[in-house]
Amino acid sequence: MKKFCCSKAGYKANSGVKAYSKIDTRTGCGEFVQFDVGDDGLWTVTKHEKVHNHELCVFNKSHLLRSHRSVGDNQLLYLQGLKDSGVALADGIRFLKHQSGGSPLVGFTSRDAYNSMAADTVKRLDGTDSNSLIEIFRRRQSTETDFFFDFELDLDARSMGGKSPQTIMTDQCATMAVAISKVFPTSRHRLYIWHIGENSKKHIKTLRNNKDFLDMFNYVLKYTETEAEFQFYWTRLVTDYKCHKNTWLEKLYDCREKWCPAFNKDYFSGGILSSQRSETTNHSISRRLSKTAGLCDFYSSFVSVISEWRSKENGEDFWRAQGVPAMMMEHVKLLSHAREVYTIEIYFLFEEQFMKGSACHQEMVLNDGRQQKYHVWQPDIDIIRHEVSFNAANLDISCSCKLMSELGILCCHCIRILHVHCVSSIPDKYILKRWTKKVIDGRNVNIDSMIYNVGVPPSIWVFDISRKFQRLVVSSQDSSVARKLCDEAVDDVKKKVEAEVGHVHIEECGVSSSSGGVQNPSSRRLKGERNKRRSGVIEKKYSLARGRRSAANKAALSTKGVVQSLVLENISKLAGDGYLVHPSSSSSDFVQFNKGLDDNVGVD
């Protein structure tokens, strides 16, 4: 038999005071219906008590009864898919309610959805979250030759093949600094300049209120290009504003090798000076997760984010393959070669350096028949000139600004000298492979090795099958028989797919198969309307990036101009009609001049 009682039957047991208690909905209602099963297997109503001892739920609230609520499997999958895509669960529930025509018609409440999602997560974890994640890793390692994971170190301690990062950037965390020095003793540990600037608001707030102090501080923080130049301007800073004994500035000076760009020119960093890249990664993943998410949830979100990034990168690669960027100056061999070898983003950086070098002046100061040395500067901007060494026989070139070792592209000073000597192409030794088109073309992605967990992800399958069909169609385009076979195959597959998933709409292109003519365009420009091309998404992105770089360069020039004007008078008194040069060694005259200037202003 089966006996169904009212949800308010019986009474709630009182087990004492609790921190949280549910409301008491029991009223001892005696309403029930009883079914008995006969010898023939049929169920028959044998007893039925119809009287309730409480008021019944009104019709417009009946959808809130527990017996009337359930989250369907399709709805649960839909909500889970939205959540994995970064849509908040509350927004997903709101969308389902809107689609259904309102809360009464969706079939469940928000609490039901949260409970169902939590129950589904627990069911998928198989007991312990960490064990589930390890099992996922094991499956990937068994199918992907280039996937590695371990949670115990072997005798050699080897997951990156013994390689260490060239540069590691962190905030001012003492514990992390100690750990990096032990684990990665050969790596260059640097500090984020942005964090130092923010900390200065708290530690030297009074100094920052002084006139021109902030410009001088930002200059030593971001824009000095050699150690001697940093020492020169730091001396001016602590002297002019009488902050020799400031504890925070003393500690900052003691660790100057970790944050000042001038001390890190020999270490590649790709121009990164802040934590923006890691913060972007954190934001991309955290917006898909909540505080209650487990390790497996994090892993799934991380894989999804990486898949999106790779998809965007594929789009960038495709766009790059369609053509080349327009050059600012035509018939310039160096720019033409840079456009051929570099990616679009790096070409734009090289082009900016070339244009900056075009505004430079140069003066030869040494020519021993084998090597030539030049002083290169921007008139009315640089009061300290850079020294460029050039060997025309083997095209060796170096500059005191060391942009090549730091960023991986030639600086404006070197480009100026190469252009003066009519060098038509960038020497191979100064082309970093990671910035070239070849590094993209050389990628060998094994799609079959990416199978994990429950088969190939849809996005990867779409990419793989599209690639196969594209090759098949391209190989058939010159044969009428092969083209006919492809058309027939598409019609046949379409019928079979529609039998599984329903109607599939395939838009016809604007070419008539019978006449071979091209149909009229869907829209035409009206008479008198300007024929202006709309900017594409990628074009807008690059325009914004260029605008940001231009604004940053203007801000740097402005700061540089203000700071140099502050010390220009002292420089003129000591240097006279001469000029200063960035040193190529510590025994340069610049160091001696700096010492003389210190003595002149009475600095110990």
Side-chain angles (χ1 to χ4, degrees), residues 345-362:
E345 183 72 22
I346 299 302
Y347 168 75
F348 284 151
L349 294 178
F350 183 88
E351 189 179 60
E352 287 180 3
Q353 291 296 322
F354 181 88
M355 300 304 294
K356 187 177 179 181
S358 300
C360 288
H361 289 185
Q362 78 280 342

Side-chain angles (χ1 to χ4, degrees), residues 352-448:
E352 287 180 3
Q353 291 296 322
F354 181 88
M355 300 304 294
K356 187 177 179 181
S358 300
C360 288
H361 289 185
Q362 78 280 342
E363 178 184 359
M364 183 183 293
V365 294
L366 173 67
N367 188 356
D368 58 7
R370 184 182 62 86
Q371 189 180 38
Q372 298 171 341
K373 284 189 176 181
Y374 292 87
H375 291 166
V376 185
W377 73 99
Q378 297 180 82
D380 302 326
I381 296 179
D382 297 330
I383 62 173
I384 304 176
R385 304 181 180 184
H386 283 278
E387 186 176 89
V388 179
S389 299
F390 177 63
N391 188 325
N394 54 16
L395 296 181
D396 281 343
I397 191 167
S398 61
C399 179
S400 56
C401 75
K402 297 183 179 180
L403 183 69
M404 181 67 210
S405 58
E406 180 188 23
L407 186 59
I409 63 173
L410 290 172
C411 64
C412 61
H413 316 104
C414 290
I415 295 176
R416 171 72 179 184
I417 300 304
L418 291 176
H419 191 53
V420 167
H421 283 266
C422 300
V423 177
S424 59
S425 61
I426 307 171
D428 292 339
K429 66 184 78 175
Y430 302 117
I431 299 177
L432 204 63
K433 184 179 179 182
R434 70 186 302 158
W435 300 144
T436 64
K437 300 175 182 178
K438 290 183 179 180
V439 74
I440 299 175
D441 298 334
R443 290 175 186 161
N444 184 19
V445 180
N446 185 4
I447 297 297
D448 295 333

